[in-house]
Short mmCIF file of all heavy atoms in Angstrom, two decimals:
data_model
loop_
_atom_site.label_atom_id
_atom_site.label_comp_id
_atom_site.label_asym_id
_atom_site.label_seq_id
_atom_site.Cartn_x
_atom_site.Cartn_y
_atom_site.Cartn_z
N PHE Q 1 37.89 62.30 -51.54
CA PHE Q 1 36.85 61.66 -52.29
C PHE Q 1 37.10 61.55 -53.78
O PHE Q 1 36.86 60.49 -54.38
CB PHE Q 1 35.50 62.39 -52.03
CG PHE Q 1 34.33 61.80 -52.75
CD1 PHE Q 1 33.85 60.54 -52.43
CD2 PHE Q 1 33.68 62.48 -53.77
CE1 PHE Q 1 32.78 59.99 -53.08
CE2 PHE Q 1 32.58 61.93 -54.41
CZ PHE Q 1 32.10 60.70 -54.07
N SER Q 2 37.63 62.58 -54.38
CA SER Q 2 37.91 62.59 -55.77
C SER Q 2 39.03 61.62 -56.22
O SER Q 2 39.16 61.39 -57.40
CB SER Q 2 38.21 64.02 -56.26
OG SER Q 2 39.40 64.51 -55.70
N SER Q 3 39.75 61.14 -55.25
CA SER Q 3 40.83 60.19 -55.51
C SER Q 3 40.44 58.73 -55.30
O SER Q 3 41.26 57.85 -55.34
CB SER Q 3 42.07 60.52 -54.72
OG SER Q 3 42.54 61.81 -54.99
N ARG Q 4 39.18 58.52 -54.99
CA ARG Q 4 38.71 57.21 -54.60
C ARG Q 4 37.65 56.67 -55.58
O ARG Q 4 36.74 57.36 -56.00
CB ARG Q 4 38.04 57.28 -53.23
CG ARG Q 4 39.00 57.62 -52.09
CD ARG Q 4 38.22 57.88 -50.83
NE ARG Q 4 39.09 57.99 -49.66
CZ ARG Q 4 39.35 56.99 -48.82
NH1 ARG Q 4 38.79 55.78 -49.02
NH2 ARG Q 4 40.14 57.19 -47.77
N VAL Q 5 37.76 55.40 -55.88
CA VAL Q 5 36.70 54.67 -56.54
C VAL Q 5 35.50 54.64 -55.62
O VAL Q 5 35.65 54.42 -54.42
CB VAL Q 5 37.12 53.24 -56.91
CG1 VAL Q 5 35.90 52.42 -57.37
CG2 VAL Q 5 38.18 53.25 -58.00
N MET Q 6 34.32 54.90 -56.18
CA MET Q 6 33.09 54.84 -55.39
C MET Q 6 32.23 53.73 -55.97
O MET Q 6 32.12 53.51 -57.18
CB MET Q 6 32.30 56.14 -55.52
CG MET Q 6 31.07 56.18 -54.63
SD MET Q 6 29.93 57.52 -55.01
CE MET Q 6 29.22 56.89 -56.55
N GLY Q 7 31.68 52.91 -55.08
CA GLY Q 7 30.81 51.82 -55.47
C GLY Q 7 29.47 51.83 -54.80
O GLY Q 7 29.29 52.47 -53.73
N TRP Q 8 28.56 51.17 -55.45
CA TRP Q 8 27.22 50.94 -54.85
C TRP Q 8 27.00 49.47 -54.72
O TRP Q 8 27.29 48.69 -55.61
CB TRP Q 8 26.07 51.55 -55.67
CG TRP Q 8 26.00 53.03 -55.59
CD1 TRP Q 8 26.54 53.93 -56.43
CD2 TRP Q 8 25.30 53.77 -54.59
NE1 TRP Q 8 26.21 55.21 -56.04
CE2 TRP Q 8 25.41 55.17 -54.94
CE3 TRP Q 8 24.50 53.44 -53.52
CZ2 TRP Q 8 24.87 56.18 -54.15
CZ3 TRP Q 8 23.93 54.43 -52.73
CH2 TRP Q 8 24.12 55.78 -53.08
N PHE Q 9 26.50 49.04 -53.54
CA PHE Q 9 26.19 47.67 -53.24
C PHE Q 9 24.75 47.62 -52.72
O PHE Q 9 24.19 48.60 -52.32
CB PHE Q 9 27.15 47.12 -52.20
CG PHE Q 9 28.58 47.02 -52.66
CD1 PHE Q 9 29.38 48.13 -52.70
CD2 PHE Q 9 29.11 45.76 -53.01
CE1 PHE Q 9 30.69 48.07 -53.13
CE2 PHE Q 9 30.42 45.67 -53.44
CZ PHE Q 9 31.22 46.82 -53.48
N ARG Q 10 24.20 46.42 -52.73
CA ARG Q 10 22.89 46.24 -52.12
C ARG Q 10 22.81 44.88 -51.44
O ARG Q 10 23.49 43.94 -51.74
CB ARG Q 10 21.76 46.36 -53.21
CG ARG Q 10 21.80 45.27 -54.25
CD ARG Q 10 20.77 45.59 -55.34
NE ARG Q 10 20.70 44.56 -56.36
CZ ARG Q 10 20.01 44.63 -57.46
NH1 ARG Q 10 19.27 45.71 -57.73
NH2 ARG Q 10 19.99 43.62 -58.36
N GLN Q 11 21.90 44.82 -50.48
CA GLN Q 11 21.67 43.59 -49.70
C GLN Q 11 20.22 43.44 -49.41
O GLN Q 11 19.62 44.26 -48.75
CB GLN Q 11 22.51 43.55 -48.45
CG GLN Q 11 22.46 42.24 -47.71
CD GLN Q 11 23.52 42.14 -46.62
OE1 GLN Q 11 23.95 43.19 -46.06
NE2 GLN Q 11 23.96 40.96 -46.29
N ALA Q 12 19.65 42.33 -49.87
CA ALA Q 12 18.28 41.96 -49.60
C ALA Q 12 18.23 41.06 -48.39
O ALA Q 12 19.24 40.37 -48.10
CB ALA Q 12 17.64 41.28 -50.80
N PRO Q 13 17.11 40.97 -47.65
CA PRO Q 13 17.06 40.08 -46.50
C PRO Q 13 17.39 38.64 -46.84
O PRO Q 13 16.86 38.09 -47.81
CB PRO Q 13 15.58 40.22 -46.06
CG PRO Q 13 15.17 41.61 -46.54
CD PRO Q 13 15.90 41.75 -47.83
N GLY Q 14 18.25 38.07 -46.10
CA GLY Q 14 18.67 36.68 -46.28
C GLY Q 14 19.59 36.47 -47.44
O GLY Q 14 19.92 35.33 -47.76
N LYS Q 15 20.05 37.54 -48.07
CA LYS Q 15 20.94 37.44 -49.23
C LYS Q 15 22.27 38.04 -48.89
O LYS Q 15 22.43 38.84 -47.98
CB LYS Q 15 20.36 38.13 -50.43
CG LYS Q 15 19.01 37.62 -50.85
CD LYS Q 15 19.02 36.22 -51.39
CE LYS Q 15 17.68 35.82 -51.96
NZ LYS Q 15 17.73 34.44 -52.54
N GLU Q 16 23.29 37.67 -49.67
CA GLU Q 16 24.62 38.25 -49.51
C GLU Q 16 24.62 39.66 -50.12
O GLU Q 16 23.88 39.95 -51.03
CB GLU Q 16 25.65 37.40 -50.25
CG GLU Q 16 25.86 36.04 -49.64
CD GLU Q 16 26.93 35.24 -50.34
OE1 GLU Q 16 27.44 35.70 -51.40
OE2 GLU Q 16 27.28 34.15 -49.86
N ARG Q 17 25.47 40.49 -49.60
CA ARG Q 17 25.66 41.79 -50.19
C ARG Q 17 26.26 41.60 -51.57
O ARG Q 17 27.22 40.86 -51.80
CB ARG Q 17 26.61 42.66 -49.35
CG ARG Q 17 26.75 44.10 -49.81
CD ARG Q 17 27.54 44.92 -48.81
NE ARG Q 17 26.82 45.03 -47.56
CZ ARG Q 17 27.25 45.79 -46.55
NH1 ARG Q 17 28.33 46.54 -46.66
NH2 ARG Q 17 26.56 45.81 -45.40
N GLU Q 18 25.68 42.32 -52.56
CA GLU Q 18 26.13 42.18 -53.91
C GLU Q 18 26.55 43.52 -54.53
O GLU Q 18 25.97 44.60 -54.21
CB GLU Q 18 25.08 41.52 -54.79
CG GLU Q 18 23.84 42.35 -54.98
CD GLU Q 18 22.87 41.71 -56.00
OE1 GLU Q 18 23.30 40.91 -56.83
OE2 GLU Q 18 21.66 42.05 -55.93
N PHE Q 19 27.53 43.49 -55.42
CA PHE Q 19 28.01 44.62 -56.10
C PHE Q 19 26.95 45.11 -57.15
O PHE Q 19 26.34 44.27 -57.81
CB PHE Q 19 29.31 44.26 -56.84
CG PHE Q 19 29.72 45.27 -57.85
CD1 PHE Q 19 30.43 46.38 -57.48
CD2 PHE Q 19 29.48 45.05 -59.21
CE1 PHE Q 19 30.80 47.34 -58.42
CE2 PHE Q 19 29.91 45.97 -60.15
CZ PHE Q 19 30.58 47.12 -59.76
N VAL Q 20 26.79 46.40 -57.23
CA VAL Q 20 25.87 46.98 -58.21
C VAL Q 20 26.60 47.80 -59.25
O VAL Q 20 26.36 47.57 -60.44
CB VAL Q 20 24.86 47.90 -57.47
CG1 VAL Q 20 23.95 48.61 -58.49
CG2 VAL Q 20 24.01 47.11 -56.48
N ALA Q 21 27.44 48.69 -58.87
CA ALA Q 21 28.16 49.55 -59.84
C ALA Q 21 29.34 50.21 -59.14
O ALA Q 21 29.40 50.35 -57.94
CB ALA Q 21 27.19 50.61 -60.42
N ARG Q 22 30.28 50.66 -59.97
CA ARG Q 22 31.39 51.47 -59.45
C ARG Q 22 31.79 52.50 -60.47
O ARG Q 22 31.52 52.42 -61.65
CB ARG Q 22 32.58 50.58 -59.10
CG ARG Q 22 33.34 49.99 -60.33
CD ARG Q 22 34.67 49.40 -59.88
NE ARG Q 22 35.38 48.88 -61.05
CZ ARG Q 22 35.38 47.58 -61.44
NH1 ARG Q 22 34.71 46.68 -60.75
NH2 ARG Q 22 36.09 47.23 -62.53
N ILE Q 23 32.44 53.51 -59.97
CA ILE Q 23 32.91 54.62 -60.82
C ILE Q 23 34.30 55.05 -60.34
O ILE Q 23 34.58 55.11 -59.12
CB ILE Q 23 31.91 55.81 -60.83
CG1 ILE Q 23 32.33 56.90 -61.80
CG2 ILE Q 23 31.74 56.34 -59.42
CD1 ILE Q 23 31.26 57.92 -62.04
N SER Q 24 35.18 55.34 -61.27
CA SER Q 24 36.54 55.76 -60.88
C SER Q 24 36.53 57.14 -60.24
O SER Q 24 35.56 57.89 -60.34
CB SER Q 24 37.44 55.76 -62.15
OG SER Q 24 36.96 56.71 -63.09
N GLY Q 25 37.62 57.44 -59.59
CA GLY Q 25 37.71 58.70 -58.86
C GLY Q 25 37.41 59.90 -59.71
O GLY Q 25 36.76 60.87 -59.33
N SER Q 26 37.96 59.87 -60.94
CA SER Q 26 37.80 60.99 -61.87
C SER Q 26 36.41 60.97 -62.54
O SER Q 26 36.01 61.98 -63.13
CB SER Q 26 38.85 60.94 -62.98
OG SER Q 26 38.68 59.84 -63.80
N GLY Q 27 35.68 59.83 -62.45
CA GLY Q 27 34.43 59.71 -63.10
C GLY Q 27 34.61 59.23 -64.58
O GLY Q 27 33.58 59.13 -65.28
N GLY Q 28 35.78 58.92 -64.97
CA GLY Q 28 36.07 58.55 -66.35
C GLY Q 28 35.68 57.20 -66.79
O GLY Q 28 35.59 56.90 -67.99
N SER Q 29 35.47 56.31 -65.85
CA SER Q 29 35.08 54.91 -66.18
C SER Q 29 34.08 54.41 -65.21
O SER Q 29 34.07 54.76 -64.02
CB SER Q 29 36.29 54.02 -66.22
OG SER Q 29 36.92 53.91 -64.94
N THR Q 30 33.15 53.58 -65.71
CA THR Q 30 32.14 52.98 -64.88
C THR Q 30 32.04 51.46 -65.19
O THR Q 30 32.45 51.02 -66.25
CB THR Q 30 30.76 53.64 -65.15
OG1 THR Q 30 30.41 53.49 -66.53
CG2 THR Q 30 30.80 55.08 -64.73
N TYR Q 31 31.43 50.78 -64.28
CA TYR Q 31 31.26 49.34 -64.45
C TYR Q 31 29.98 48.91 -63.67
O TYR Q 31 29.75 49.38 -62.59
CB TYR Q 31 32.45 48.58 -63.92
CG TYR Q 31 32.41 47.09 -64.12
CD1 TYR Q 31 32.65 46.53 -65.36
CD2 TYR Q 31 32.09 46.23 -63.07
CE1 TYR Q 31 32.62 45.16 -65.56
CE2 TYR Q 31 32.03 44.86 -63.24
CZ TYR Q 31 32.31 44.34 -64.50
OH TYR Q 31 32.24 42.96 -64.69
N TYR Q 32 29.17 48.05 -64.30
CA TYR Q 32 27.91 47.66 -63.75
C TYR Q 32 27.72 46.16 -63.66
O TYR Q 32 28.22 45.41 -64.51
CB TYR Q 32 26.73 48.19 -64.58
CG TYR Q 32 26.69 49.71 -64.70
CD1 TYR Q 32 27.38 50.37 -65.72
CD2 TYR Q 32 25.95 50.46 -63.78
CE1 TYR Q 32 27.31 51.76 -65.83
CE2 TYR Q 32 25.89 51.83 -63.90
CZ TYR Q 32 26.57 52.47 -64.93
OH TYR Q 32 26.53 53.86 -65.01
N ALA Q 33 27.00 45.74 -62.66
CA ALA Q 33 26.56 44.36 -62.60
C ALA Q 33 25.60 44.11 -63.71
O ALA Q 33 24.80 44.99 -64.11
CB ALA Q 33 25.91 44.05 -61.25
N ASP Q 34 25.64 42.89 -64.27
CA ASP Q 34 24.75 42.56 -65.39
C ASP Q 34 23.26 42.79 -65.01
O ASP Q 34 22.44 43.13 -65.88
CB ASP Q 34 24.97 41.12 -65.85
CG ASP Q 34 26.27 40.94 -66.59
OD1 ASP Q 34 26.84 41.92 -67.03
OD2 ASP Q 34 26.70 39.75 -66.70
N SER Q 35 22.92 42.57 -63.78
CA SER Q 35 21.53 42.65 -63.36
C SER Q 35 20.94 44.07 -63.43
O SER Q 35 19.73 44.24 -63.45
CB SER Q 35 21.37 42.12 -61.93
OG SER Q 35 22.15 42.86 -61.02
N VAL Q 36 21.80 45.08 -63.46
CA VAL Q 36 21.33 46.47 -63.49
C VAL Q 36 21.78 47.23 -64.73
O VAL Q 36 21.29 48.35 -64.95
CB VAL Q 36 21.78 47.21 -62.21
CG1 VAL Q 36 21.34 46.50 -60.97
CG2 VAL Q 36 23.26 47.50 -62.23
N LYS Q 37 22.61 46.64 -65.54
CA LYS Q 37 23.15 47.31 -66.75
C LYS Q 37 21.96 47.72 -67.63
O LYS Q 37 21.06 46.93 -67.92
CB LYS Q 37 24.13 46.42 -67.43
CG LYS Q 37 24.86 47.07 -68.57
CD LYS Q 37 25.94 46.16 -69.15
CE LYS Q 37 27.02 45.84 -68.13
NZ LYS Q 37 28.09 45.02 -68.69
#
Protein backbone atom coordinates (compact mmCIF):
# COMPACT_ATOMS: atom_id res chain seq x y z
CA PHE A 1 0.00 0.00 0.00
CA SER A 2 2.73 2.48 0.92
CA SER A 3 4.31 2.03 -2.51
CA ARG A 4 1.12 2.85 -4.40
CA VAL A 5 -0.55 6.03 -5.50
CA MET A 6 -4.03 6.16 -4.00
CA GLY A 7 -6.90 7.92 -5.70
CA TRP A 8 -10.51 8.81 -5.04
CA PHE A 9 -13.14 8.75 -7.77
CA ARG A 10 -16.87 9.31 -7.81
CA GLN A 11 -19.76 8.39 -10.04
CA ALA A 12 -23.24 9.90 -10.04
CA PRO A 13 -26.22 8.14 -11.66
CA GLY A 14 -26.07 8.48 -15.42
CA LYS A 15 -22.64 10.10 -15.28
CA GLU A 16 -19.15 8.90 -16.07
CA ARG A 17 -16.81 8.04 -13.26
CA GLU A 18 -14.68 11.08 -12.53
CA PHE A 19 -11.38 11.67 -10.82
CA VAL A 20 -11.52 13.46 -7.48
CA ALA A 21 -8.04 13.38 -5.92
CA ARG A 22 -4.84 11.37 -5.66
CA ILE A 23 -1.92 11.10 -3.29
CA SER A 24 1.52 9.62 -3.81
CA GLY A 25 2.60 6.49 -1.99
CA SER A 26 4.71 8.44 0.48
CA GLY A 27 2.00 11.06 0.95
CA GLY A 28 4.38 13.75 -0.25
CA SER A 29 2.28 15.05 -3.11
CA THR A 30 -1.41 15.50 -3.79
CA TYR A 31 -3.54 16.53 -6.73
CA TYR A 32 -7.20 17.53 -6.88
CA ALA A 33 -9.89 17.98 -9.45
CA ASP A 34 -10.84 21.64 -9.82
CA SER A 35 -14.38 20.86 -8.69
CA VAL A 36 -13.24 19.86 -5.20
CA LYS A 37 -10.06 21.89 -4.71
